[in-house]
Amino acid sequence: MKIQKRLFKAAAILGLGLLLTGCTKKEEVTITVKVPVLAMNSVADSDIESADEFLKKAAEAFEAQNEGVTIRLVTFEQTKEDSAVTDCFDTEDAADVLYEGYFNMSTYIYTGRMVPLDDIISDEIRNDIDSSLWDMSQIEGKTYMMPYLSLQNTYVYNKELFREAGLEKYLTDEDVIQNWTLDEWEYILAVLKEKLPENIYVMPMYAANNQGDTHTMTLIRSQGSSFFDEDGKFNLNTEEGIAGLQWIKDNYDKGYYPPYCEDLEISDTVELFYNEQIVFMIGNSANGNAIPFDYGVVNFPGGKGGYATSFVTGFSVFDNGNEKKVELSKEFVKFIYETETWLDYSAGAIPASQNVADKYKDNIPMLEEYYQNNANVVNFTANNPNWRGVRDTFYPHIQNLLRGNETAAEAAAGINQDCNAAIEEGLATGQLHE
């Protein structure tokens, strides 16, 4: 009898132990991190060629430190962003973390699903990142994106093709971001067209989808357009705005662009550039190291120093109705910013972290030149809501302009009407996370 009591007692203790072990076992949680196809160079790791490769390494390190946590990394094509993000709301495939450019994220903020991140930003992190990047990442004083790096978009051009056309005087051996007057641009484009073989094109242009919006918008400024009015609304129905659109159309008619460019995507012109079949390409430090021939860098035409655009890229967190996933998603983002190894991966582009920039300044191509060129960077969104809606209504007018279905004046009026309607829709229907 005593033996049976002892066995029962031992079994009870063992059962209690198993019960307690089960209660303390880490809950298994999967968070989904999504990223578009983004080229990425990192001087901290020369093997990195894309953003998803960097995120995969950071995710594996986070999983190793957090038992029961799995990070599901999803890479999507930029042309399929709607299906990857907004179309996945309220499904098991919804993004918990998005690594993306802010010009798209501004739309998602107003869905009410993107959560403020101020509670994970320490004083050390905040002081390490320039206030201008924080300002760009905030709405009504709350931070919705953690700036990680930025890229300045300019033109890059093939110096060998300049030499072939006899334009050596416009070349420089120095690491500088050049600027040419509008008259110089007119002369250079005309000479390139005249001197180069017919199967080599001069300027990139593409309007098959919304990828070309920011670059085309910047070109419209070439004739002096401010682009936006004082309230941040589209204001192209002016003498300067119409002239900018007409300049784009004139270049089309002169044969500077690849034929049927209204049906091309940006990747088509990039391929032409690497095959040395087009002189200019939209470029930045993310693809500079990969260019296999001698090239130069020049701002978009217009203004006193030319124009450039700046693309801030970073992390945002979505609330999909699961508090635990929101908590872990924030922890993953915080992990990247509080771990020197992963913050260092931003070096290659222009790091948001000043500490990283100082550490790698001698290894990041043209870092100081890009800093100096900030004076020529234009705000191409004016911080408007529903920018994806703007993008989707802008490019059809450029298609029609290039095809001759709209005059420059008609395109200016149509862009004003449709893009401002998209902005108004964003203001009327948008909401912030509570």
Side-chain angles (χ1 to χ4, degrees):
M1 190 70 174
K2 290 183 179 179
I3 294 176
Q4 287 180 330
K5 287 183 178 180
R6 288 191 188 121
L7 288 173
F8 177 79
K9 187 175 181 181
I13 293 172
L14 178 59
L16 180 60
L18 289 171
L19 182 62
L20 290 173
T21 301
C23 289
T24 58
K25 182 180 179 181
K26 288 283 186 179
E27 179 185 359
E28 293 189 0
V29 180
T30 298
I31 61 175
T32 299
V33 177
K34 292 195 175 183
V35 56
V37 175
L38 292 174
M40 181 175 179
N41 292 321
S42 176
V43 297
D45 186 341
S46 60
D47 292 333
I48 294 295
E49 295 182 352
S50 61
D52 57 355
E53 292 176 342
F54 144 65
L55 290 171
K56 184 176 184 231
K57 291 192 174 188
E60 289 172 349
F62 185 75
E63 288 173 341
Q65 293 185 19
N66 293 269
E67 182 186 350
V69 176
T70 299
I71 293 183
R72 174 174 166 259
L73 182 62
V74 177
T75 306
F76 59 88
E77 296 290 338
Q78 292 188 0
T79 54
K80 298 180 179 178
E81 180 151 343
D82 286 338
S83 61
V85 182
T86 52
D87 291 353
C88 291
F89 287 161
D90 300 318
T91 73
E92 293 182 356
D93 195 38
D96 298 302
V97 178
L98 181 64
Y99 178 77
E100 166 68 293
Y102 184 74
F103 68 101
N104 276 340
M105 283 189 180
S106 61
T107 294
Y108 307 139
I109 291 172
Y110 283 93
T111 65
R113 295 172 180 263
M114 197 173 281
V115 302
L117 300 174
D118 298 275
D119 57 334
I120 65 170
I121 303 173
S122 65
D123 290 342
E124 183 179 358
I125 293 174
R126 191 172 295 280
N127 294 333
D128 185 36
I129 295 175
D130 190 86
S131 60
S132 64
L133 297 181
W134 289 122
D135 292 343
M136 195 178 298
S137 307
Q138 295 176 334
I139 301 290
E140 296 184 6
K142 293 182 179 180
T143 306
Y144 290 90
M145 184 184 81
M146 294 285 285
Y148 186 70
L149 56 81
S150 63
L151 295 167
Q152 265 188 35
N153 270 9
T154 61
Y155 281 116
V156 294
Y157 66 91
N158 187 321
K159 287 186 176 181
E160 289 301 320
L161 293 177
F162 262 60
R163 295 184 182 101
E164 187 175 334
L167 293 169
E168 290 89 349
K169 72 175 184 177
Y170 293 98
L171 304 181
T172 175
D173 292 329
E174 299 178 9
D175 286 336
V176 296
I177 299 172
Q178 295 176 263
N179 174 53
W180 301 320
T181 67
L182 203 54
D183 287 341
E184 288 175 323
W185 270 101
E186 295 278 10
Y187 176 75
I188 289 168
L189 297 178
V191 171
L192 288 168
K193 173 60 179 174
E194 177 188 357
K195 299 292 185 181
L196 295 177
E198 287 188 4
N199 65 335
I200 297 180
Y201 310 110
V202 182
M203 291 280 284
M205 178 56 64
Y206 33 90
N209 51 39
N210 65 15
Q211 290 176 324
D213 61 342
T214 53
H215 315 134
T216 307
M217 289 179 187
T218 307
L219 279 179
I220 293 173
R221 295 174 181 261
S222 63
Q223 309 299 309
S225 170
S226 62
F227 204 87
F228 298 110
D229 64 18
E230 60 185 14
D231 296 321
K233 299 295 176 58
F234 278 68
N235 188 34
L236 299 186
N237 201 14
T238 64
E239 180 179 348
E240 296 83 3
I242 294 170
L245 286 159
Q246 187 62 53
W247 190 70
I248 290 172
K249 173 59 172 169
D250 289 345
N251 290 341
Y252 181 95
D253 294 338
K254 292 174 182 177
Y256 295 163
Y257 307 142
Y260 305 107
C261 61
E262 63 270 26
D263 298 321
L264 297 181
E265 299 183 6
I266 185 172
S267 59
D268 297 316
T269 63
V270 171
E271 184 177 354
L272 287 171
F273 184 77
Y274 280 98
N275 289 335
E276 300 191 65
Q277 292 178 270
I278 195 168
V279 181
F280 290 89
M281 176 184 76
I282 306 299
N284 50 54
S285 57
N287 48 32
N289 291 338
I291 297 175
F293 45 78
D294 194 13
Y295 71 94
V297 181
V298 62
N299 278 329
F300 287 82
K304 293 182 179 180
Y307 293 126
T309 54
S310 181
F311 292 78
V312 180
T313 301
F315 295 87
S316 285
V317 172
F318 287 88
D319 184 350
N320 295 301
N322 185 317
E323 291 185 12
K324 186 63 177 178
K325 286 192 174 187
V326 172
E327 178 187 342
L328 283 170
S329 297
K330 285 184 173 183
E331 285 299 317
F332 175 61
V333 174
K334 184 179 179 183
F335 168 73
I336 289 174
Y337 283 79
E338 292 188 346
T339 309
E340 184 177 357
T341 298
W342 309 119
L343 204 54
D344 281 359
Y345 271 62
S346 63
I350 305 171
S353 164
Q354 189 58 54
N355 289 334
V356 174
D358 291 342
K359 182 177 179 180
Y360 291 100
K361 61 183 178 182
D362 295 333
N363 304 101
I364 302 174
M366 298 180 62
L367 179 62
E368 188 58 38
E369 287 72 24
Y370 283 118
Y371 280 150
Q372 293 176 4
N373 201 46
N374 278 332
N376 300 311
V377 170
V378 295
N379 182 345
F380 62 85
T381 70
N383 296 328
N384 281 307
N386 194 26
W387 195 251
R388 286 195 61 77
V390 169
R391 298 179 75 192
D392 290 340
T393 56
F394 175 82
Y395 80 89
H397 290 287
I398 302 303
Q399 280 185 344
N400 287 329
L401 173 70
L402 296 172
R403 289 172 179 159
N405 296 333
E406 290 182 10
T407 66
E410 290 170 340
I415 290 170
N416 278 1
Q417 177 178 325
D418 293 345
C419 291
N420 286 335
I423 292 171
E424 291 297 335
E425 180 184 353
L427 291 171
T429 63
Q431 59 181 333
L432 300 176
H433 188 274
E434 296 182 357

